[in-house]
Amino acid sequence: MPTLATTVDGLKLPNPFVIGSGPPGTNGNVIGKAFDEGWGAVIAKTISLDASKVINVQPRYARLRSDSGQIIGWQNIELISDRSFDVWIDEFKRLKDKYPDGCVIASIMEEYNKDRWCEIVERVQATGVAAFELNFSCPHGLPERKMGSAMGQDCALMEEVCRWVMSVAKIPVWAKLTPNITHIDETAIAALRGGCQGVSAINTILSVTSVDLDTLRPEPCVEGYSTPGGYSCVAVKPIALRMVKECAEAIRAHYPDRSLSGIGGIETGADAAQFILLGADTVQVCTGVMKVGYDCVKKMKDDLLAFMDKHKFETISDFKGHSLQYFTTHSDLVKRQAEARAAAKAKTSGVVTKDTEWHGDAFVKQSDALASN
């Protein structure tokens, strides 16, 4: 009988489904709701030491729909948590008391300042959270402070910050990577070289979802203006899968004992299976929860178990990265196809397809070629 229970970086999880950092983990109440519904872990909305600089606008989402009305893309210009650091400290403590076995992961973001990074790590881990996720990847907001993707796009900078964090962290640390970069595998290696136990990929893709053809204004429109924001939902899944694959290959080659959390358009158990097949240990869902609610995890778990049962996989590790072996170069594909066609031609060479093709000198050989045993 397959099981979804898994252990990642020493974290014992009942299943690999994790609430991704964002609105679904915006306070203690909703984090508790996620645990009640059966999520394996919850990553809280990103926090910093000073929330006073965080000012959100309304509206802050723009959605892309298919012709049938289905939401397939979701742009957001939402910033990190605007709730005070002290409030979060209290809520982390209460969550630990109420859900002692619940895996709460704190997402943190700070400026390029060693003292601030060390302070936030030491104060948050004292609350009993299970792990950290370092937000090096928010594509909008506060770039002037070198926060988010402004830091995650600089491998040297990110590695240095990871070393600062790891000098004081006593719990597992994941680095959340930006997709707004040419080679995501390089940033993954930088974070792991800096000492992180794992990486998460991908965060949202910098985007402009649409322009209103009546008002001629881009969306989401705030007082007549907009700004590029982070793109998520099912439309980003192919890009996320490719980047997860690249991270997984880099991890296998350089840090095989490190972990990978896959993110990007995951809304079903089948989606989750694909990310795990390409090397993810866990899968994160954020926009999917915003679309349909926290209880979506029940069907995702059932569907993933059904997939595992179909293929006789007992544990997540049984198929983690299984499909990586089937990637190769285009030149190798050409070679393989040429060899396959040559083999097929050789196999059918001399096979009689019409009565006029029989020859007395090769009669026995032709007869053999037509036999199935």
Side-chain angles (χ1 to χ4, degrees), residues 111-170:
E111 301 176 27
Y112 181 60
N113 181 297
K114 181 178 180 179
D115 290 341
R116 294 183 70 86
W117 276 101
C118 290
E119 180 183 350
I120 194 170
V121 168
E122 290 178 324
R123 292 178 66 183
V124 172
Q125 72 183 358
T127 67
V129 296
F132 285 111
E133 185 177 76
L134 312 182
N135 188 339
F136 293 131
S137 48
C138 182
H140 52 270
L142 308 177
E144 69 280 0
R145 297 172 183 262
K146 285 190 175 180
M147 296 174 76
S149 62
M151 185 176 288
Q153 290 166 338
D154 186 324
C155 287
L157 199 67
M158 185 170 62
E159 180 180 344
E160 182 181 19
V161 173
C162 289
R163 292 188 186 279
W164 294 346
V165 169
M166 297 312 299
S167 70
V168 292
K170 299 176 182 179

Side-chain angles (χ1 to χ4, degrees), residues 53-313:
K53 59 181 175 282
V54 180
I55 303 173
N56 278 301
V57 295
Q58 299 81 30
R60 51 181 175 264
Y61 306 141
R63 297 176 292 189
L64 182 67
R65 297 178 184 270
S66 66
D67 291 341
S68 64
Q70 177 187 6
I71 298 171
I72 58 174
W74 189 299
Q75 179 192 350
N76 85 85
I77 55 173
E78 185 163 342
L79 301 180
I80 63 175
S81 179
D82 59 7
R83 304 171 72 234
S84 77
F85 183 76
D86 289 338
V87 167
W88 271 109
I89 291 295
D90 289 341
E91 291 201 349
F92 284 144
K93 291 176 180 177
R94 287 200 297 269
L95 284 165
K96 181 64 176 178
D97 291 338
K98 187 173 181 180
Y99 300 94
D101 296 325
C103 182
V104 177
I105 300 173
S107 174
I108 57 176
M109 179 197 287
E110 263 305 330
E111 301 176 27
Y112 181 60
N113 181 297
K114 181 178 180 179
D115 290 341
R116 294 183 70 86
W117 276 101
C118 290
E119 180 183 350
I120 194 170
V121 168
E122 290 178 324
R123 292 178 66 183
V124 172
Q125 72 183 358
T127 67
V129 296
F132 285 111
E133 185 177 76
L134 312 182
N135 188 339
F136 293 131
S137 48
C138 182
H140 52 270
L142 308 177
E144 69 280 0
R145 297 172 183 262
K146 285 190 175 180
M147 296 174 76
S149 62
M151 185 176 288
Q153 290 166 338
D154 186 324
C155 287
L157 199 67
M158 185 170 62
E159 180 180 344
E160 182 181 19
V161 173
C162 289
R163 292 188 186 279
W164 294 346
V165 169
M166 297 312 299
S167 70
V168 292
K170 299 176 182 179
I171 54 179
V173 178
W174 299 348
K176 191 171 186 178
L177 307 178
T178 175
N180 303 300
I181 197 164
T182 305
H183 300 292
I184 197 170
D185 55 320
E186 293 179 358
T187 60
I189 292 303
L192 298 176
R193 192 167 54 234
C196 293
Q197 281 85 2
V199 295
S200 305
I202 59 174
N203 205 328
T204 52
I205 301 168
L206 193 62
S207 67
V208 174
T209 303
S210 61
V211 176
D212 188 307
L213 296 183
D214 291 322
T215 66
L216 310 185
R217 309 279 182 152
E219 300 285 355
C221 190
V222 181
E223 309 304 332
Y225 292 84
S226 190
T227 188
Y231 194 53
S232 61
C233 204
V234 293
V236 310
K237 179 184 161 191
I239 299 168
L241 284 171
R242 186 265 295 180
M243 290 190 165
V244 163
K245 171 256 186 192
E246 291 174 348
C247 289
E249 290 175 332
I251 290 171
R252 280 191 169 189
H254 301 284
Y255 296 96
D257 60 333
R258 310 293 176 87
S259 68
L260 173 59
S261 189
I263 320 165
I266 299 168
E267 295 188 1
T268 68
D271 294 334
Q274 292 175 56
F275 276 83
I276 297 169
L277 284 165
L278 293 187
D281 295 273
T282 59
V283 291
Q284 296 185 29
V285 184
C286 182
T287 307
V289 177
M290 298 171 72
K291 287 170 62 177
V292 299
Y294 293 89
D295 62 348
C296 65
V297 73
K298 295 182 175 66
K299 188 173 190 311
M300 288 195 290
K301 289 191 294 185
D302 289 343
D303 289 348
L304 184 57
L305 281 170
F307 161 80
M308 293 172 65
D309 188 56
K310 174 184 176 181
H311 292 280
K312 309 304 180 188
F313 295 130

